Amino acid sequence: MTRIAVIGGGRIGEALVAGLLESGRASKDLVVAEPTAVRSELLGERFGVRVTDSVADAAMGADVVVIAVKPQHVDGVLTDLAKAELGDALDQVVVSLAAGIPIARFEAKLPAGFPVVRVMPNTPMLVGQGMSAIAPGRYARPEQLQLVTEMLESVGQVVTVAESQMDAVTAVSGSGPAYFFLVVEAMIDASVSLGLTRDVATRLVTQTMLGSAALLDESGQSAVELRAAVTSPGGTTAAALRELERGALRSAFHEALHAAKSRSAEVGGTAD
């Protein structure tokens, strides 16, 4: 069995561990590196996996080393990984879930020719509904990319993109849940202003979003087609959509995603 080391026991690291176990991975094949004692104890008790405070200890002997830490902690992790003598005993691959950090930064600090796969996940992986985009480094082989794909499919869906598209992916699916939650928040507030209780408004909006997403996913129709099917000429939906268009909703999303892409490039040092 593939042995997987998860470096970082935060929410994303925990979600990956939970998904891997749910998909049938044995707890003995997983190890987590987490320096915070309280968090370490919680993960060990909740999932029955080995948890260590040493990055080098976790990575030693692992087939896949997943770096699931905040971007500012990546360099420290790479320094610690150097102590693990990566690549000496096994054909290992490093998988980065750290937002904005380019593959070249990992390849420069890891042993020459070391395979790296960059991933942009999102928070719905916490409930097994994540969207992950993966980009292979220069030395990652097809079978390693497939291994990473299968690992991430335990917590959602996966697409493969060129690394040059990662800033755009970050703007769309990486930050996307926040846009969705903002729309939900706005709809709930507006519903309350119509006289509904917040509990009822929350239930109405949440289920409407869930049902609409399922319909879009399963119907085979485009968002344009489904929107048109709900919009009768001169009806209530048409009146509402007219106000949203008047409020420049499309333009706001266009500017928002471009801003997110630009910021992602700045963080990763890839901005023009």
Side-chain angles (χ1 to χ4, degrees), residues 44-123:
E45 291 179 354
R46 179 172 295 173
F47 299 112
V49 298
R50 186 169 76 86
V51 185
T52 174
D53 62 1
S54 168
V55 170
D57 177 37
M60 193 77 71
D63 301 290
V64 181
V65 179
V66 181
I67 299 180
V69 300
K70 295 184 183 300
Q72 61 267 32
H73 297 146
V74 166
D75 285 337
V77 168
L78 291 174
T79 297
D80 289 341
L81 283 177
K83 304 172 185 176
E85 299 179 349
L86 289 179
D88 283 4
L90 292 170
D91 188 10
Q92 297 166 303
V93 59
V94 163
V95 179
S96 169
L97 272 60
I101 309 298
I103 293 171
R105 188 158 155 191
F106 289 88
E107 291 178 339
K109 293 180 176 292
L110 292 169
F114 202 90
V116 177
V117 175
R118 179 178 171 185
V119 179
M120 182 66 244
N122 65 10
T123 55

Side-chain angles (χ1 to χ4, degrees), residues 193-259:
S193 76
L194 297 176
L196 296 172
T197 66
R198 188 162 293 275
D199 284 347
V200 168
T202 299
R203 185 173 179 184
L204 289 172
V205 174
T206 300
Q207 183 55 40
T208 297
M209 293 295 187
L210 285 169
S212 299
L215 183 61
L216 178 61
D217 186 45
E218 298 173 16
S219 68
Q221 294 180 280
S222 69
V224 173
E225 292 171 320
L226 291 171
R227 176 179 57 78
V230 181
T231 311
S232 301
T236 58
T237 305
L241 292 177
R242 184 170 58 249
E243 293 304 317
L244 290 173
E245 295 287 7
R246 184 178 298 171
L249 179 70
R250 292 175 189 272
S251 176
F253 268 105
H254 181 88
E255 295 300 323
L257 267 66
H258 276 266

